Amino acid sequence: MEKKCPSPISVRILTLLILIIMISSFAHAQSASAAQVSIPLPAVYATSEGEVGVLTDLTVWVTNGTGHVFVDTAPFTQVDMQGSARLSSMVACDITGINPETRDFFYVLHTDSPVIGGPSAGAAMTVATVAALMNWTIDQGVVMTGMINPDCSIGAVGGISAKLNASAKKGAHSFLIPAGQGNVTLTEHIIAQNGSLVTVKENSVTIDIFALGETQDIRVMEIEDLRDAILIYTGYEIPNVLLTGEVQTTSYMDAMQPLAATLLDESRTQYNDTEVVADTEFIDALESQVLAIKDAQADYDAKNYYASMSRSFNTMINLRHIRWYSECLALDEGNLDEYIADRIEQVENEISDAELAINKAKSENGVLEGIGAAESRLSIAREKLADAEQTKHAGDAIELLAFSMERARSAQWWATLSCAGSGQRISNDLIRDRAGRYYSQAASMLAYADALISETGGCKTQIMSAKKDLSRARNELHAGHYAGAIYDSLHAMVQANTAIELIGIEDLDEKTNNSEKDAISAIISARESGAEPILAVSAYEHAKILEPSQMGKIVDYGYATMVARTAQSFTGKKNTSMTYTTGVPWYADNNARCSRGKCTAQMPALRGWGALAAITAVYLVRRLRWHR
């Protein structure tokens, strides 16, 4: 059979086609890691005549990196824009299942308007970040205002009517607002002058935002969850995947049970020793410790071993305080200083023993979060010891020393527990680097939360607690206790995040339930990736069994979630496959991609080299066929 050689023009066409495909692949690979996404942001600024709305563009792109967040604004924006960008990157990675430590985030906002704040732009910033991470395009006719919360809910904002007006003027077809803000009340200032007398009256006016939108041919929609906004902007639906299963596994309980039993025995021994020397003024206090020991035994019998350990820990603090204070009362005043000096030395020795136990756990490749918990408790022991050395009141010093003593002992317990699991070997350089990053993240989140709480007049309980956590993390960084710095920074972040999420929320039942579900899912996910999140499970158990307040439960569950995710991030594995499907948004607009309630599935947009390559490829294939 005669073989036909391809014609020269066919060879040239094939060669050029291969070259174009290679260029296209390269260009797509580049754009996949640095695709820019622009999104309109509505904002308001105050004038002498009231609020004025403005619409400006934010450009976001994401590259492979190490977790940095860069913000470029001109002119000046409020400091909370920095915190809003950092929170947006964190939530976007959380909802897409992407490890934020593997990306760098860039936010560029240039506007001709006066000062713009960050909170009300948070939800839209997060949508843009998700789109950049996933290489999705967004509908430029959609505009959204709303604060982003760490749990993906959309928080209330102000200036909605002014923002709507600005969006309509720019041709938007849809305007998304936080749930419950369809009607807003504004205060009008009516100025009247009668001769030299000028009076200013305030008049409250309620505006129906939905009706206002209709008059300007723009559809207004209330949005509760970020996923709904992503669907409307992109046409893609991100499912909320929650794993379920047993939180307290056999391996976890096997690790906890021996220590819980030991602490129960120690608390009983301490009670017997204390009862002998206790002053009569502590009779009622001693009786309450008997009840506490019974509660610890009940938790132990129910296999809630961490709860039992926690109760025993508190009992031993109280018993040590009673014993030491009773011994002080029996001393002459001249011997009191010497007694306290002896107790200080005793606590210092216990702290030294804890330091040795932690170093031993590190050398034996203990579970990182167990070591982190131990280092954090050691830091607290040192803080209380320093406070005791500074106080001039003997009773206060004894109380602080008793707490420091037991906290140092608990650091040793956690060091022991860290070796009960199969910790993976993690380089000290990586731990140090992660500690620095988490500290920076926590500091930014805390500043952001503090600013928001100050503006809204919310409760500062979590803010004050977060500041203490962050201060301890800073000291641990300086001392080289990097694992402790990681987990104290995480706790500071949780406190700051909780403060943000609870702004304007009075009924905490739903929030508490959702927080528990998130914690369970994160713990199960971490286990499936090969980690055993003992600290996360302990925080969950504390919330479930011991914490009396809902706010405290939310913090504990949030900490369990964040610790479990951190444990999983150190394994470098993802065990749940996130699927993104094209959805049909529940709105329709003739000017949008949706028509008559139906949405066409988005395809990856072809831009630049990609479009050129596609067009050229089609052309060359046709030429090749023509020359055959």
Side-chain angles (χ1 to χ4, degrees):
M1 179 180 292
E2 180 182 358
K3 293 185 179 180
K4 293 185 178 181
C5 295
S7 65
I9 189 169
S10 298
V11 173
R12 288 197 300 270
I13 290 175
L14 282 172
T15 303
L16 184 57
L17 177 58
I18 293 172
L19 179 61
I20 290 295
I21 293 173
M22 291 175 63
I23 293 174
S24 173
S25 299
F26 174 76
H28 183 267
Q30 294 296 309
S31 63
S33 63
Q36 292 188 356
V37 174
S38 293
I39 194 168
L41 295 182
V44 294
Y45 61 94
T47 68
S48 58
E49 299 178 354
E51 292 182 331
V52 175
V54 62
L55 205 62
T56 187
D57 284 332
L58 171 74
T59 301
V60 181
W61 70 93
V62 181
T63 65
N64 293 330
T66 54
H68 291 290
V69 178
F70 302 92
V71 180
D72 177 29
T73 61
F76 172 76
T77 60
Q78 294 176 10
V79 67
D80 52 24
M81 180 65 78
Q82 304 280 337
S84 190
R86 192 171 290 274
L87 179 57
S88 295
S89 66
M90 185 176 72
V91 175
C93 286
D94 186 28
I95 199 173
T96 57
I98 294 173
N99 183 359
E101 297 292 325
T102 64
R103 302 290 191 274
D104 285 337
F105 303 85
F106 299 83
Y107 299 86
V108 177
L109 175 66
H110 288 177
T111 177
D112 295 330
S113 67
V115 177
I116 293 177
S120 66
M125 292 174 73
T126 310
V127 169
T129 308
V130 169
L133 283 167
M134 305 306 296
N135 200 23
W136 295 340
T137 58
I138 63 173
D139 187 340
Q140 293 296 318
V142 180
V143 178
M144 175 167 59
T145 182
M147 187 174 70
I148 185 62
N149 292 327
D151 63 352
C152 293
S153 62
I154 309 299
V157 294
I160 290 181
S161 58
K163 294 172 183 176
L164 171 60
N165 294 334
S167 301
K169 289 179 182 179
K170 291 290 186 178
H173 58 73
S174 300
F175 187 68
L176 314 185
I177 63 175
Q181 291 200 280
N183 290 285
V184 296
T185 301
L186 303 180
T187 301
E188 291 183 343
H189 294 87
I190 303 174
I191 302 175
Q193 185 169 357
N194 186 7
S196 60
L197 180 63
V198 178
T199 60
V200 179
K201 294 183 178 180
E202 293 186 350
N203 184 35
S204 296
V205 178
T206 299
I207 298 177
D208 184 336
I209 300 299
F210 298 102
L212 180 61
E214 288 180 3
T215 63
Q216 302 178 78
D217 197 25
I218 182 171
R219 178 164 295 187
V220 177
M221 290 166 283
E222 291 186 344
I223 300 295
E224 292 187 9
D225 189 271
L226 181 70
R227 293 174 179 84
D228 295 331
I230 292 171
L231 177 59
I232 293 172
Y233 268 103
T234 70
Y236 283 95
E237 183 175 9
I238 298 181
N240 185 15
V241 179
L242 288 176
L243 304 180
T244 58
E246 291 295 329
V247 173
Q248 295 163 293
T249 59
T250 301
S251 59
Y252 168 80
M253 289 188 290
D254 287 346
M256 289 290 189
Q257 183 272 331
L259 185 54
T262 299
L263 297 188
L264 261 175
D265 290 341
E266 286 189 16
S267 64
R268 290 192 177 97
T269 300
Q270 277 204 34
Y271 177 85
N272 293 332
D273 294 341
T274 301
E275 187 182 28
V276 176
V277 299
D279 190 84
T280 54
E281 69 175 87
F282 293 114
I283 292 177
D284 292 340
L286 277 175
E287 290 180 356
S288 67
Q289 302 317 304
V290 172
L291 297 176
I293 292 173
K294 288 182 179 179
D295 288 340
Q297 181 65 58
D299 282 328
Y300 180 88
D301 294 339
K303 297 184 179 181
N304 294 320
Y305 297 126
Y306 176 77
S308 178
M309 289 165 53
S310 185
R311 293 189 196 275
S312 295
F313 165 72
N314 288 318
T315 298
M316 286 189 283
I317 291 174
N318 295 331
L319 289 172
R320 190 173 295 278
H321 178 214
I322 293 171
R323 180 177 180 178
W324 283 358
Y325 198 86
S326 296
E327 290 173 348
C328 283
L329 293 177
L331 293 173
D332 296 332
E333 187 173 347
N335 296 327
L336 185 58
D337 290 343
E338 181 180 356
Y339 179 87
I340 292 179
D342 289 342
R343 299 290 77 73
I344 289 175
E345 183 179 0
Q346 185 178 354
V347 172
E348 288 174 340
N349 290 336
E350 197 68 41
I351 288 175
S352 296
D353 290 343
E355 183 83 54
L356 292 174
I358 292 171
N359 290 335
K360 183 175 183 292
K362 290 179 179 179
S363 68
E364 294 179 359
N365 198 32
V367 176
L368 182 65
E369 60 192 82
I371 294 173
E375 289 184 340
S376 176
R377 284 154 176 77
L378 182 61
S379 295
I380 296 173
R382 287 189 171 124
E383 290 171 7
K384 298 301 181 183
L385 174 60
D387 291 342
E389 291 173 330
Q390 294 298 319
T391 186
K392 295 181 180 179
H393 189 272
D396 293 339
I398 288 297
E399 184 177 6
L400 289 166
L401 288 169
F403 188 93
S404 178
M405 181 74 171
E406 295 304 327
R407 186 46 86 192
R409 295 180 69 234
S410 72
Q412 296 181 55
W413 307 337
W414 274 102
T416 301
L417 282 173
S418 73
C419 296
S422 55
Q424 63 178 125
R425 184 166 298 280
I426 305 172
S427 72
N428 194 57
D429 288 342
L430 175 59
I431 297 173
R432 180 175 60 247
D433 178 73
R434 189 73 68 91
R437 292 182 185 279
Y438 285 1
Y439 174 81
S440 176
Q441 176 91 332
S444 177
M445 289 302 306
L446 177 55
Y448 181 47
D450 199 4
L452 289 179
I453 295 299
S454 298
E455 287 181 13
T456 60
C459 178
K460 285 205 168 188
T461 301
Q462 276 77 40
I463 300 298
M464 298 305 296
S465 297
K467 288 180 178 179
K468 292 180 181 178
D469 290 331
L470 199 62
S471 175
R472 187 174 304 118
R474 181 172 58 251
N475 293 335
E476 287 160 345
L477 279 173
H478 292 322
H481 293 157
Y482 302 121
I486 286 175
Y487 293 99
D488 279 328
S489 294
L490 291 177
H491 200 265
M493 272 191 272
V494 170
Q495 296 274 17
N497 290 347
T498 302
I500 294 172
E501 291 173 359
L502 297 185
I503 292 176
I505 295 180
E506 296 181 358
D507 185 1
L508 300 181
D509 288 342
E510 183 178 1
K511 174 61 181 171
T512 303
N513 292 334
N514 290 338
S515 297
E516 181 180 1
K517 292 176 183 176
D518 289 340
I520 294 172
S521 180
I523 289 169
I524 302 303
S525 181
R527 281 210 183 100
E528 291 183 0
S529 71
E532 177 51 49
I534 57 173
L535 183 58
V537 179
S538 299
Y540 175 88
E541 189 176 335
H542 187 275
K544 193 73 174 175
I545 307 298
L546 299 178
E547 179 54 53
S549 72
Q550 284 184 303
M551 188 174 294
K553 288 179 183 293
I554 292 170
V555 171
D556 281 346
Y557 286 138
Y559 186 57
T561 300
M562 193 164 285
V563 168
R565 288 174 178 168
T566 300
Q568 182 169 339
S569 73
F570 275 109
T571 68
K573 299 177 181 177
K574 278 183 62 179
N575 55 327
T576 56
S577 57
M578 296 292 292
T579 57
Y580 310 99
T581 58
T582 53
V584 181
W586 40 270
Y587 76 99
D589 192 289
N590 292 331
N591 297 323
R593 64 178 179 278
C594 298
S595 177
R596 297 181 181 177
K598 296 182 180 180
C599 238
T600 57
Q602 276 199 38
M603 296 297 289
L606 293 174
R607 302 185 182 91
W609 281 105
L612 176 62
I615 295 169
T616 306
V618 172
Y619 170 75
L620 291 177
V621 168
R622 288 179 177 176
R623 284 292 301 266
L624 181 60
R625 288 176 178 173
W626 184 75
H627 280 283
R628 284 180 177 175

